[in-house]
Amino acid sequence: PAPPAQATAPAPVAVPAAPLPAPPPVPDPTALADAAARRLLAFHERLREGGIAGMAREQARLGDTPDQPASTLELALLLAQRQQPGDVARALALLEPLTRATAPAPWQAPARLLHTRLAEQRRLEEQIEKQAAQLREQQRRLEQLAAQLEALKAIERSLNNARPTPPAPAPVPRP
């Protein structure tokens, strides 16, 4: 009898390894900064065209404390556009963290630009308020001096009216 046939295992076949997925492309920083600037400009245009109602809608959408850099910049821009008391200071406070080196790179440049512009606006507003206060003080002082002058004129008139006029000296005949 023939010996039973043994099953031989097939020789291992080399299976090609699945290619490793390519790493995600690293976004170009310039393209990211460009996209951030374009987004901010588009938002500004929406604010400009939307008027007061559009600003109210955008503010409701953004909320009080946005969690994304883009939303923070948009809210700061909205506050700068509204021109309500305290809005510039609030916008500056919102922008401050985005101007630091730890902020996301695409948003640093627009944040610095807007922060610089708002800081200058705030400085000029404070200067205007100071000059307005000085003007009010000068006007008050001018009114006070005008009243004193009128009082002196009244005293002078009363002295002139109270004093009898002496008779005119008789003309002396000439020889």
Side-chain angles (χ1 to χ4, degrees):
Q6 288 192 346
T8 59
V13 177
V15 177
L20 294 174
V26 176
D28 176 25
T30 305
L32 289 175
D34 182 56
R38 287 178 187 277
R39 178 177 172 169
L40 194 60
L41 289 172
F43 179 75
H44 179 266
E45 191 62 23
R46 275 198 325 265
L47 286 179
R48 193 181 65 76
E49 291 174 354
I52 295 172
M55 283 187 196
R57 279 191 309 274
E58 289 296 335
Q59 187 168 13
R61 179 183 67 82
L62 293 169
D64 287 334
T65 53
D67 56 349
Q68 298 294 321
S71 300
T72 301
L73 264 167
E74 289 173 352
L75 181 57
L77 187 59
L78 184 143
L79 291 171
Q81 294 288 325
R82 282 194 337 177
Q83 299 180 357
Q84 298 293 319
D87 281 352
V88 172
R90 185 168 168 226
L92 284 168
L94 284 170
L95 290 171
E96 188 66 35
L98 293 178
T99 61
R100 296 189 191 117
T102 57
W107 301 105
Q108 284 179 7
R112 284 188 195 123
L113 175 69
L114 189 54
H115 188 274
T116 302
R117 181 193 164 280
L118 292 176
E120 180 67 10
Q121 180 179 338
R122 185 176 184 186
R123 185 188 68 77
L124 291 173
E125 286 173 354
E126 288 172 354
Q127 184 178 3
I128 288 170
E129 288 174 15
K130 182 179 177 183
Q131 288 176 346
Q134 288 174 344
L135 179 61
R136 284 190 300 273
E137 177 59 29
Q138 288 174 348
Q139 287 174 334
R140 185 192 65 75
R141 180 74 177 136
L142 182 62
E143 289 170 0
Q144 185 181 29
L145 290 173
Q148 288 176 350
L149 180 61
E150 283 304 315
L152 288 172
K153 284 181 181 179
I155 292 171
E156 183 181 17
R157 281 192 298 272
S158 69
L159 290 175
N160 284 339
N161 290 340
R163 192 180 318 160
T165 56
V172 179
R174 293 193 165 184

